[in-house]
Amino acid sequence: MPPTLTEQQVQWREIVEDPSLHNLPYKVETNARGQLLLSPHKSEHSRRQSHLFGLLRRHVPEGLISVDYALATPAGVKAPDVVWMSPEREREMAQTGDPSTRAPELCAEMTSALTTDAAMQEKRTLYRDIGAEEVWIVSAEGTIRVFGEEEQTSSRIAPSCPVAVDPA
């Protein structure tokens, strides 16, 4: 039986406190069975994250923008590449524990040549199921696809934001 969200939070605290896992050059997540998933980042991935962070800074209302933000989901702890949350949502999320069982309003994932459509569909569903209003999928070429309940032509959270980010 997969761990409950509360069990995932306990396990995540153990992972975060494990000195052998500090300073890993990887994005760390868990799967539905609580096993560690390590994803190495290429420089281009980090640059796209930075570009998206800056784009959000210019085009969304005041709020917190963060990278690799841990969220407890029904399929393990996931860490969207970039998130945006309003001050109200940040307070709501803090009340659920760490990692939060409530998603920020906006969660974004960067794809690579190794990313499958199925993996992105799963993450979109997981983030929406725990409260994300929008999930952005950013391709290696920099195209931003915006998803709410359905794919959207633009963001409702950041309507003035372009649907492309500098890919490198």
Side-chain angles (χ1 to χ4, degrees):
M1 179 192 294
T4 66
L5 293 179
T6 302
E7 290 168 336
Q8 286 182 46
Q9 289 173 318
V10 169
Q11 180 190 31
W12 190 254
R13 281 191 291 276
E14 292 170 0
I15 290 168
V16 168
E17 293 169 4
D18 185 335
S20 69
L21 299 174
H22 290 190
N23 301 314
L24 290 174
Y26 304 105
K27 178 177 182 173
V28 178
E29 297 179 319
T30 63
N31 64 16
R33 295 186 307 254
Q35 297 167 314
L36 284 178
L37 301 173
L38 303 176
S39 303
H41 278 194
K42 288 186 171 184
S43 297
E44 62 201 43
H45 178 97
S46 296
R47 281 193 300 275
R48 273 188 295 140
Q49 267 184 306
S50 295
H51 286 293
L52 183 58
F53 189 102
L55 200 62
L56 290 172
R57 171 91 47 231
R58 291 187 301 277
H59 292 279
V60 294
E62 187 173 318
L64 175 68
I65 303 166
S66 189
V67 297
D68 297 330
Y69 199 96
L71 299 170
T73 76
V77 174
K78 306 300 176 198
D81 290 310
V82 181
V83 299
W84 174 85
M85 67 194 82
S86 65
E88 298 81 24
R89 180 64 63 94
E90 186 178 4
R91 285 189 290 278
E92 288 175 27
M93 291 171 62
Q95 292 174 358
T96 72
D98 187 22
S100 179
T101 59
R102 178 117 166 99
E105 288 98 331
L106 190 155
C107 296
E109 286 286 350
M110 308 288 166
T111 65
S112 72
L114 301 176
T115 308
T116 66
D117 288 340
M120 286 298 101
Q121 170 63 43
E122 178 185 26
K123 284 192 172 184
R124 285 192 345 243
T125 300
L126 290 170
Y127 300 153
R128 295 270 304 141
D129 285 350
I130 62 170
E133 294 171 20
E134 290 184 0
V135 178
W136 293 10
I137 305 298
V138 183
S139 73
E141 297 76 31
T143 302
I144 301 171
R145 295 178 66 197
V146 178
F147 295 87
E149 289 183 27
E150 304 274 328
E151 188 165 3
Q152 304 166 186
T153 57
S154 64
S155 169
R156 291 186 180 104
I157 293 171
S160 67
C161 190
V163 290
V165 65
D166 186 350

Coordinates of all heavy atoms in Angstrom, one line a residue, residues 48 89 164:
R48 N 16.8 27.7 -18.1 CA 15.4 27.9 -18.4 C 14.6 28.2 -17.1 O 13.7 29.0 -17.1 CB 14.8 26.7 -19.1 CG 15.0 26.8 -20.6 CD 14.3 25.7 -21.4 NE 14.9 24.4 -21.0 CZ 14.2 23.2 -20.8 NH1 12.9 23.2 -21.0 NH2 14.8 22.1 -20.5
R89 N -2.2 31.7 -0.4 CA -2.0 30.3 -0.7 C -0.7 29.8 0.1 O -0.7 28.7 0.7 CB -1.7 30.0 -2.2 CG -1.5 28.6 -2.5 CD -2.6 27.6 -2.2 NE -3.8 27.9 -3.0 CZ -4.1 27.3 -4.1 NH1 -3.4 26.4 -4.7 NH2 -5.3 27.7 -4.7
A164 N 6.4 31.8 -24.2 CA 7.7 31.3 -24.6 C 8.7 31.9 -23.6 O 8.5 33.0 -23.2 CB 8.1 31.6 -26.0

